[in-house]
Amino acid sequence: QVQLVESGGGLVQPGGSLRLSCAASGRTFTAYAMGWFRQAPGKEREFVAAVTWSAGTTAYKDSVKGQFTISRDRAKNTVYLQMNSLKPEDTAVYYCASTQRARLGIMFAGSYDYWGQGTQVTVSS
């Protein structure tokens, strides 16, 4: 199986930045796409950003366009999420996900086969 491990979360003040990392491992790891989702307390899990592994095609939640940037390092089997100008409403557990096939589309949680344990991002004064 594929294992995903997120890191880089923490406490940051409004307007600050964080860079999340997700390292994938597994004997047969070959991703079609990797993405980031987040879930705030009492809220539904929501799509944040995704990138296709080969072509580098990206997709973003509308509200984070220009604020967050997703990237990947194929040699390291790692995907990153650079988060700038953070706001309290960005507070959530951020989850990394991987899919080996295009199914419903890279912005849909149902497309993903593997999930990390999540990393907490807290934006507070």
Side-chain angles (χ1 to χ4, degrees):
Q1 288 192 332
V2 173
Q3 296 187 19
L4 306 175
V5 179
E6 302 99 333
S7 62
L11 176 64
V12 64
Q13 293 186 339
S17 297
L18 286 173
R19 184 179 185 240
L20 305 183
S21 298
C22 174
S25 62
R27 180 170 58 87
T28 60
F29 175 76
T30 304
Y32 169 75
M34 295 183 69
W36 291 95
F37 293 76
R38 67 187 182 187
Q39 187 166 21
K43 302 292 185 180
E44 191 80 23
R45 180 175 56 182
E46 66 178 1
F47 168 77
V48 178
V51 61
T52 64
W53 210 240
S54 181
T57 303
T58 58
Y60 293 94
K61 173 181 169 65
D62 286 344
S63 64
V64 307
K65 290 179 179 177
Q67 179 191 358
F68 293 1
T69 303
I70 190 170
S71 61
R72 88 286 194 217
D73 186 330
R74 289 180 287 177
K76 295 181 178 180
N77 290 335
T78 300
V79 65
Y80 305 94
L81 185 67
Q82 178 67 46
M83 306 187 295
N84 298 324
S85 301
L86 284 163
K87 303 179 288 291
E89 46 264 48
D90 295 317
T91 296
V93 177
Y94 284 70
Y95 296 93
C96 176
S98 174
T99 181
Q100 294 180 318
R101 293 192 126 262
R103 290 153 64 186
L104 305 177
I106 61 174
M107 72 291 293
F108 297 106
S111 293
Y112 291 84
D113 303 301
Y114 304 101
W115 296 83
Q117 81 288 349
T119 185
Q120 177 71 51
V121 172
T122 302
V123 185
S124 177
S125 300

